[in-house]
Amino acid sequence: MPKERIILGIDPGTTVMGFGLIKVVGKTMSFLQLNELDLKKYDDHYLKLKLIFERTIELIDTHHPDEIAIEAPFFGKNVQSMLKLGRAQGVAMAAGLSREVPITEYSPKKIKMAITGNGNASKEQVAKMLQSLLGLKTLPKNLDATDGLAAAVCHFYNDGRVEVGKSYSGWASFVKQNEDRVKK
């Protein structure tokens, strides 16, 4: 009987965190869920981080994913935005690590390339391809949810390939792979 696993994909953000879940049986994936955590109504950045952590824990405790795929922050011109995005990603990763769920990061370009074959594809192109691949009847208004789903699908497509990105199986693994960034 083929092994069954669940992959949680996360597109971190402090305005909207998109997420999607797929089930993989053998070499076949199927859609489970996509949604978003809307954080626009909150002004307090630290409250947003707390809510990201809590929602990620809730997703893990509800769906028991075997792996998490997360979109890595992209380097933009606004340093403050980059810092906030990095914090959102870090909090989602901490939630996964606290439940000992292995995490793999993917660059936005790598995710777009895996889904559409074009690393410069638009959010709309990624969403339409996911709709076709997974037989989604409708697409959400906000495409952050499909970006989270795209991370999960990208992880499925990259299964077994070594060059997928940084992967962490727990705190010890994270520290070991980031020794140059950890103070002793």
Side-chain angles (χ1 to χ4, degrees):
M1 183 157 200
K3 184 181 172 218
E4 183 179 304
R5 63 192 173 111
I6 294 175
I7 302 170
L8 168 61
I10 298 175
D11 176 26
T14 55
T15 306
V16 177
M17 177 184 90
F19 58 89
L21 290 137
I22 59 170
K23 178 165 67 169
V24 177
V25 179
K27 300 220 176 272
T28 306
M29 70 173 160
S30 58
F31 171 76
L32 289 178
Q33 179 186 5
L34 86 150
N35 210 331
E36 61 191 38
L37 173 62
D38 188 350
L39 300 160
K40 291 182 205 105
K41 61 185 170 205
Y42 304 103
D43 293 328
D44 183 344
H45 180 67
Y46 300 105
L47 174 60
K48 290 179 179 188
L49 295 176
K50 177 181 181 276
L51 294 169
I52 291 167
F53 183 86
E54 290 173 348
R55 182 65 173 125
T56 305
I57 288 288
E58 180 185 331
L59 287 165
I60 293 167
D61 290 348
T62 302
H63 299 282
H64 309 287
D66 299 286
E67 299 159 83
I68 295 174
I70 192 163
E71 185 173 311
F74 58 92
F75 298 97
K77 292 179 183 169
N78 186 330
V79 176
Q80 284 302 314
S81 294
M82 181 67 188
L83 180 62
K84 288 178 179 176
L85 193 57
R87 286 176 177 168
Q89 183 201 32
V91 166
M93 290 172 78
L97 292 169
S98 76
R99 292 295 197 260
E100 298 184 2
V101 181
I103 298 167
T104 305
E105 286 180 86
Y106 294 94
S107 71
K109 254 189 183 336
K110 179 135 183 135
I111 293 171
K112 291 173 183 180
M113 181 64 110
I115 305 304
T116 68
N118 175 1
N120 296 314
S122 68
K123 280 179 171 282
E124 291 78 16
Q125 288 171 313
V126 170
K128 284 288 188 190
M129 184 60 82
L130 286 170
Q131 186 174 27
S132 173
L133 287 169
L134 296 167
L136 305 176
K137 289 183 177 45
T138 59
L139 289 173
K141 204 170 35 170
N142 190 334
L143 298 181
D144 291 290
T146 51
D147 286 350
L149 184 62
V153 173
C154 173
H155 188 67
F156 166 72
Y157 285 149
N158 282 280
D159 188 34
R161 295 189 192 157
V162 176
E163 80 285 352
V164 294
K166 292 187 178 180
S167 187
Y168 312 112
S169 58
W171 283 115
S173 169
F174 176 82
V175 170
K176 186 172 183 178
Q177 290 185 44
N178 292 281
E179 285 175 342
D180 58 322
R181 300 161 79 191
V182 178
K183 289 191 177 192
K184 299 195 179 196

